[in-house]
Amino acid sequence: MRTPVILVGVDGSTESRAALRWALEEAAHRGARVEAMLAYQQEPVVVPAVPMGLNPYGEMPRRHPARELHATVQQVRATMFNAPDVAECVVVGDAADHLAEASKHAELLVIGTRGRGAVREFLVHGVAANCLRHAECPVVVIPPTTTR
């Protein structure tokens, strides 16, 4: 019998950290594995043409998505007692498309939402809306936390 998989979308935001924490807690109850996926758009490489190859703007900052994901996973796991291990996956492209595709092998898909309003987030567009429409497993949407 294969171990069930809980897939969680992680982008480093507070909302995705809450989704990851929820997924870890649920995995502990179900005896499931957690797979954290970060999807990003590849940044175009721009090299300004200047004499002698010097860049007057200094070194261009580069993103390191795998490091970002790993740091987020480690930070969330550190807040929990006996947190399950997490398989980390970084992909290039649209988050909703990749999460929907990966949901084919998952028992559950967990995502956070920024809570820009139910109509805008769920009915019009956004990763949450696309995942709700196209995922091939149940989807849990973790709402933003409110502070009082």
Side-chain angles (χ1 to χ4, degrees):
M1 182 171 204
R2 74 178 183 100
T3 304
V5 173
I6 297 176
L7 175 64
V8 59
V10 177
D11 65 5
S13 67
T14 301
E15 296 81 10
S16 74
R17 289 170 189 267
L20 178 58
R21 183 175 178 83
W22 191 93
L24 288 166
E25 290 170 353
E26 187 65 19
H29 293 299
R30 293 182 182 219
R33 285 187 319 114
V34 174
E35 290 183 8
M37 178 180 285
L38 182 146
Y40 73 102
Q41 298 297 324
Q42 194 163 14
E43 299 164 355
V45 177
V46 178
V47 179
V50 295
M52 300 181 63
L54 300 175
N55 184 345
Y57 305 109
E59 187 66 28
M60 299 290 283
R62 294 208 182 257
R63 242 185 117 185
H64 298 284
R67 281 191 227 157
E68 292 172 22
L69 177 59
H70 186 70
T72 299
V73 167
Q74 293 309 311
Q75 290 165 1
V76 172
R77 288 184 74 239
T79 67
M80 303 175 67
F81 179 73
N82 281 341
D85 290 333
V86 177
E88 300 169 11
C89 177
V90 175
V91 294
V92 177
D94 183 71
D97 291 343
H98 283 289
L99 289 167
E101 180 65 27
S103 74
K104 292 177 180 178
H105 77 272
E107 189 87 7
L108 194 63
L109 170 58
V110 183
I111 52 176
T113 182
R114 289 189 171 83
R116 292 174 261 171
V119 171
R120 185 171 172 202
E121 181 70 23
F122 293 108
L123 299 180
V124 181
H125 66 284
V127 173
N130 284 328
C131 287
L132 287 168
R133 282 189 208 101
H134 302 292
E136 296 194 24
C137 67
V139 179
V140 174
V141 179
I142 305 299
T145 57
T146 56
T147 55
R148 294 181 186 193

